[in-house]
């Protein structure tokens, strides 16, 4: 096997649409029509998505080659064949949606420039390319598929109980399409700032600081237990002539649900894995991407592949039930996509074997459990003690944590548990509760510096 | 179908059942690093429990998880009092009181005393 090297960004070039210099930023925004960005809320008024996270991920190149809110033709092509208009693979609609009232008040037309504001401050600009109507329910259903149209992997029709389907279902019926440019770079709050490593910088760190030739990505939205740790270690044995040099943990940070672990504990819990030597920091690094998780299993795995390829990874590990909730998709949908393709979603072959597809290499992994006979955390394809196996259950662990019992170190590293307790003391609660949600929805992960825009 | 509720035993709980017939029923998990008692819950009673606590669910092992701490605490109290695992009816009699306590813990749980 030939030695591997860092793949190029998806689409060939990293998108970077961020203006740091104040004078240029101000001149870009001067005279633009102002619009305050708002959260997408469910019928109970609970925020389930905020488009600023997509704007940040697009402008810093996580979603390269996407550059902004999609036009109608592009949206159609993404929904029909998971391709952008330029032919590159992309799984999800990326849209700036506005309500009828807001559109009327804005009085905006094609060719106008919008100044998008967040937390009362200028944040980004966009030149309006197109304004069109969508049927949010139709977009939601076509985004995730149906048992009839996608019989390979869709097992149940999507409905109100699926949080990703609800994100599209609850969008406003008007889309403003156009490229985004950030003119007031966000300042991430503690502890997010320590883990903020946008693709261009992440590539440079991998190449010149860590000096990893190969690197495998680990998707997370959880505090790691030793099952996750073993998955990372074992998946990293793949590589080329030697195991992968590095493991890049990339947490998806976005809208939260009650009962989740707080973002802060997730990031610092993963950090504890390298800080305390379970996987040396020279081999393990923790980062995050802003995105309101859509729980689209195989569809989500495409976005994960794109993000981590853009960040400079050669490989990506995919487990069972990847980015899944409920039983809408086959348990192995992601692994089916990356091993054979899913024709009904536009993949006659795996996404890394199609034209204008991804260059990142999948590593499909089965399960890990504790085996008292083997006396170790065992890989399901090795361990034959099926009767004695003790599965890791996230909810069992959560129960232990809530009861104030320190999980045994064979299940969770004590330093990872201490990261949970550290933030428990800050929030008065080990998991996301109403107060945490209220605060996150108000403060977001970022602050924006005050900025005066000269009148045109 | 029978479901299960696992009651984790830390040092203080182990001390409270020392010398009782319950000791024989303790199950070892993760190579003995975790001790647990497993209470069997018949179908109709597990339905009652799921109805009483909206976050509770049955996981892939057939265990009822995401129960309020107040429920788990009451369950252990009844086990220790009766020196038996056959206490689910006793716990269900205390449902209103447990639900009241559970309401409070949906917003605040005191953090453990570790450095
Ligand atoms: Zn075994």
């Amino acid at each position: 096997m030939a030695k591997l090297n860092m793949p190029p960004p998806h689409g060939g070039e990293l998108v970077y649409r961020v203006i740091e210099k104040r004078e240029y930023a101000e001149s870009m925004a001067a005279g633009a029509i102002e619009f305050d960005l708002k959260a997408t809320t469910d019928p109970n008024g609970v925020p389930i998505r905020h488009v600023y996270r997509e704007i940040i991920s697009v402008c810093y190149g996580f979603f390269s080659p996407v550059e902004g809110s999609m036009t109608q033709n592009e949206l159609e092509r993404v929904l029909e064949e998971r391709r952008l208009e330029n032919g590159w693979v992309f799984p999800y609609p990326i849209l700036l949606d506005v309500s009828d009232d807001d559109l009327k008040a804005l009085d905006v037309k094609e060719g106008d420039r919008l100044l998008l504001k967040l937390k009362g401050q200028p944040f980004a600009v966009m030149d309006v390319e197109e304004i069109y109507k969508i049927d949010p329910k139709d977009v939601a259903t076509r985004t995730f598929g149906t048992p009839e149209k996608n019989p390979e992997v869709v097992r149940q029709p999507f409905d109100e109980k699926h949080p990703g389907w609800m994100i599209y279902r609850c969008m406003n019926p008007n889309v403003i399409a156009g490229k985004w440019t950030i003119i007031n770079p966000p300042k991430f709050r503690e502890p997010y700032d320590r883990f903020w490593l946008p693709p261009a910088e992440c590539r440079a760190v991998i190449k010149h600081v860590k000096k990893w030739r190969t690197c495998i990505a680990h998707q997370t939205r959880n505090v790691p237990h030793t099952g996750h740790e073993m998955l990372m270690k074992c998946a990293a044995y793949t590589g080329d002539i030697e195991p992968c040099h590095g493991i890049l943990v990339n947490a998806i940070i976005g809208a939260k649900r009650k009962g989740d672990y707080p973002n802060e504990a997730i990031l610092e819990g993963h950090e504890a894995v390298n800080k305390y030597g379970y996987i040396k920091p020279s081999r393990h690094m923790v980062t995050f991407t802003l995105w309101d998780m859509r729980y689209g299993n195989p569809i989500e795995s495409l976005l994960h592949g794109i993000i981590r390829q853009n960040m400079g990874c050669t490989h990506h590990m995919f487990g069972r039930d990847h980015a899944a909730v409920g039983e809408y998709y086959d348990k192995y949908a992601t692994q089916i996509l990356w091993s054979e393709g899913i024709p009904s979603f536009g993949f006659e072959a795996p996404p890394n074997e199609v034209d204008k597809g991804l260059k990142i290499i999948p590593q499909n992994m089965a399960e890990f459990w504790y085996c008292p006979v083997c006396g170790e955390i065992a890989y399901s394809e090795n361990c034959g003690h099926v009767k004695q196996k003790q599965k890791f259950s996230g909810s069992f662990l959560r129960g232990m944590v809530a009861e104030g019992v320190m999980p045994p170190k064979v299940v969770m590293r004590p330093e990872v548990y201490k990261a949970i307790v550290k933030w428990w003391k800050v929030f008065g609660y080990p998991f996301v509760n109403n107060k945490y949600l209220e605060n996150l929805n108000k403060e977001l992960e970022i602050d924006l510096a005050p900025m005066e825009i000269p009148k045109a | 179908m029978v479901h299960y509720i696992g009651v984790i035993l830390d040092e203080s709980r182990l001390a409270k059942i020392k010398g009782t017939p319950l000791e024989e029923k303790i199950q070892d998990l993760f190579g003995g690093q975790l001790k647990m008692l497993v209470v069997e819950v018949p179908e109709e009673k597990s339905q009652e429990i799921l109805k009483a606590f909206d976050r509770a669910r049955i996981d892939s092992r057939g265990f009822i998880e995401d129960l309020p701490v107040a429920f788990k605490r009451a369950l252990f109290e009844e086990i220790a009092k009766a020196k038996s695992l056959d206490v689910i009816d006793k716990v269900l009699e205390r449902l209103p009181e447990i639900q009241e306590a559970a309401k409070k813990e949906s917003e605040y749980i005191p953090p453990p005393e570790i450095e």
Side-chain angles (χ1 to χ4, degrees), chain A residues 369-376 378 382-386 388:
Chain A
W369 55 55
Y370 181 80
C371 174
V373 184
C374 297
E376 63 183 20
N382 288 330
C383 170
H385 309 113
V386 179
Q388 294 96 328

Side-chain angles (χ1 to χ4, degrees), chain A residues 17 28 31-35 37 67-72 96-98 102-103 106-116 124-133 174-181:
Chain A
R17 304 184 63 95
M28 279 194 87
I33 302 165
E34 296 188 7
F35 178 64
L37 295 172
E67 293 188 282
S69 174
M70 293 173 174
T71 61
Q72 188 160 22
L96 176 68
D97 56 307
V98 298
D102 280 345
L103 189 64
L106 265 176
D107 191 25
V108 71
K109 57 185 185 310
E110 281 155 35
D112 286 345
R113 180 166 288 182
L114 278 185
L115 171 61
L116 307 175
V125 295
M126 73 185 290
D127 289 323
V128 178
E129 278 174 48
E130 189 186 356
I131 301 167
Y132 61 96
K133 285 217 170 292
N174 309 286
V175 172
I176 302 181
K179 293 172 182 169
W180 292 317
T181 308

Side-chain angles (χ1 to χ4, degrees), chain A residues 281-303:
Chain A
S282 57
R283 186 170 158 75
H284 181 272
M285 176 163 68
V286 183
T287 60
F288 70 91
T289 300
L290 290 183
W291 169 247
D292 299 309
M293 178 110 157
R294 307 297 203 254
Y295 299 89
N297 195 324
I299 308 298
E300 201 92 10
S301 78
L302 287 165
L303 185 71

Side-chain angles (χ1 to χ4, degrees), chain A residues 348-367:
Chain A
E348 295 288 342
N352 58 323
E353 290 175 24
V354 299
D355 189 35
K356 296 199 167 182
L358 283 80
K359 302 274 189 281
I360 201 164
I361 301 163
Q363 177 69 2
N364 292 332
M365 299 292 288
E367 257 186 289

